[in-house]
Amino acid sequence: MELSDELRQLYQEVILDHHRAPRNYGTLEPHTHQAEGYNPLCGDQIELFLRVNDAGIIEDARFTGQGCAISRASASLMTEALKGKSIEEAHTIFERFHHAVTSDPTAPIDADRLGKLVVLLGVREFPTRIKCATLPWHTLEQALAGGGTTTTE
Ligand code: ZN
């Protein structure tokens, strides 16, 4: 299913809104997990902070960094999606999003399972932007794996 012009425009507006006013922007102290991510192709960089409680629930997630509208909107939407989720659920959301965003542009979109993240799927039609959208998520996996720096190359 290709996106209709109407949906494409709606998605674009949501992305620009998250770019202009990113949710959960800033550092997080104290935090339990931290990682940095770079996308040299576009120049996007992100630092991600998580606070995970003893029960393994992500209580808070924040990010800082510089990047294009897609990378910032993706980080903003991701931190919203992660709050209150278990680490296991976070991995599942990552897998689901990554699979969807790297799928063929004509593949069906499961909007129910993706929730608000669906607005980022417009990048499927622009392969060079896919790494902008997935950068925050690879940084998440890096943070959950113990921290450090990841690049999309
Ligand atoms: Zn970018």
Side-chain angles (χ1 to χ4, degrees):
M1 176 189 83
E2 292 210 39
L3 297 177
S4 68
D5 287 347
E6 202 175 330
L7 261 186
R8 201 185 308 255
Q9 192 176 346
L10 174 70
Y11 291 177
Q12 188 68 20
E13 280 167 19
V14 175
I15 287 170
L16 288 176
D17 176 51
H18 277 265
H19 171 55
R20 282 192 216 105
R23 316 318 190 251
N24 308 305
Y25 190 85
T27 56
L28 181 63
E29 298 295 344
H31 58 260
T32 56
H33 297 71
Q34 179 271 351
E36 290 172 49
Y38 294 97
N39 173 19
L41 213 65
C42 179
D44 308 314
Q45 59 128 319
I46 177 179
E47 184 170 11
L48 179 71
F49 304 89
L50 303 174
R51 185 159 65 232
V52 179
N53 68 17
D54 291 343
I57 303 295
I58 300 170
E59 287 184 334
D60 208 348
R62 292 189 208 173
F63 75 101
T64 62
Q66 303 291 323
C68 67
I70 300 284
S71 69
R72 273 165 72 96
S74 182
S76 176
L77 287 157
M78 180 186 80
T79 52
E80 278 195 326
L82 291 178
K83 283 196 196 185
K85 301 292 196 304
S86 69
I87 289 176
E88 205 55 50
E89 288 169 319
H91 286 304
T92 303
I93 299 169
F94 166 81
E95 296 288 343
R96 196 179 290 165
F97 176 71
H98 194 265
H99 180 263
V101 83
T102 56
S103 65
D104 188 274
T106 58
I109 291 173
D110 191 343
D112 288 341
R113 294 188 74 197
L114 285 167
K116 288 174 76 176
L117 301 174
V118 74
V119 303
L120 293 161
L121 292 195
V123 301
R124 296 192 306 179
E125 293 165 42
F126 306 97
T128 58
R129 308 313 297 278
I130 290 173
K131 286 177 177 173
C132 303
T134 59
L135 174 67
W137 297 84
H138 287 296
T139 310
L140 166 70
E141 290 288 297
Q142 186 77 33
L144 293 176
T149 302
T150 185
T151 77
T152 53
E153 292 304 295

